[in-house]
Amino acid sequence: QVRLAESGGDSVQAGGSLTLSCAASGFTLRHSLYCIGWFRQAPGKEREPVSTHSNGGTTTYADFVKDRFTISRDNAKNTLILQMDSLKPEDSATYYCAVRFGLDKCDLEPSTRFAYWGQGTQVTVSS
C-alpha cells in the first residue's frame, strides 16, 4: 500500500531554514517510475505546487521558491527531501507531498493529477 508521511514542519523566523521530509512506503523510489510533488496550502488559499522530483532526477520549482528551496532524494531512507532556505512569512502553509506513477513528464501540475497524499506538515514563518 502506497503511503507518504511528511515531517519537519516547525515555526521559524524569517530568513531561517527548515528541512521537510516525505517518507515513502509501499514502493521504492529508486525502482519506481514516479513523479513526486511538494504542494502547500495556506488558510483560505488553494493548494499550489511548490516543487517536483521524478525518478530520472528531473526537478522543477515554482518561481516563488527558486533559488531558495532544493528538492532531493535520499535512497537509503526512501525519502524525498525539501530543503527550504531564506524562508519568508509568505511561505507559511501546510506542506504536502504527493505521488503519481507512470511515464508522463513530471512538472508543476495541479494537485488533481496526484493519487496519493501525505497528511501534511505545518510551516510557520514569523517576521
Side-chain angles (χ1 to χ4, degrees), residues 29 72-81:
L29 288 170
S72 62
R73 188 176 78 192
D74 184 334
N75 288 332
K77 297 181 179 179
N78 206 38
T79 296
L80 255 289
I81 306 294

Side-chain angles (χ1 to χ4, degrees), residues 38-116:
W38 278 101
F39 292 79
R40 70 186 189 186
Q41 188 168 19
K45 295 188 177 181
E46 292 190 354
R47 192 168 296 189
E48 59 184 357
V50 173
S51 180
T52 63
H53 188 284
S54 73
N55 57 285
T58 301
T59 59
T60 65
Y61 298 94
D63 287 343
F64 51 79
V65 302
K66 275 182 180 176
D67 299 325
R68 297 190 299 123
F69 291 11
T70 305
I71 193 170
S72 62
R73 188 176 78 192
D74 184 334
N75 288 332
K77 297 181 179 179
N78 206 38
T79 296
L80 255 289
I81 306 294
L82 185 68
Q83 177 64 39
M84 307 191 298
D85 298 317
S86 302
L87 284 163
K88 304 175 181 180
E90 51 264 43
D91 293 321
S92 297
T94 301
Y95 284 72
Y96 301 89
C97 62
V99 66
R100 60 169 178 80
F101 299 99
L103 295 173
D104 290 353
K105 180 183 177 182
C106 185
D107 207 336
L108 296 174
E109 304 167 9
S111 60
T112 51
R113 290 214 64 198
F114 290 80
Y116 303 94

Side-chain angles (χ1 to χ4, degrees), residues 108-127:
L108 296 174
E109 304 167 9
S111 60
T112 51
R113 290 214 64 198
F114 290 80
Y116 303 94
W117 290 81
Q119 80 288 350
T121 187
Q122 180 67 40
V123 172
T124 303
V125 185
S126 58
S127 57

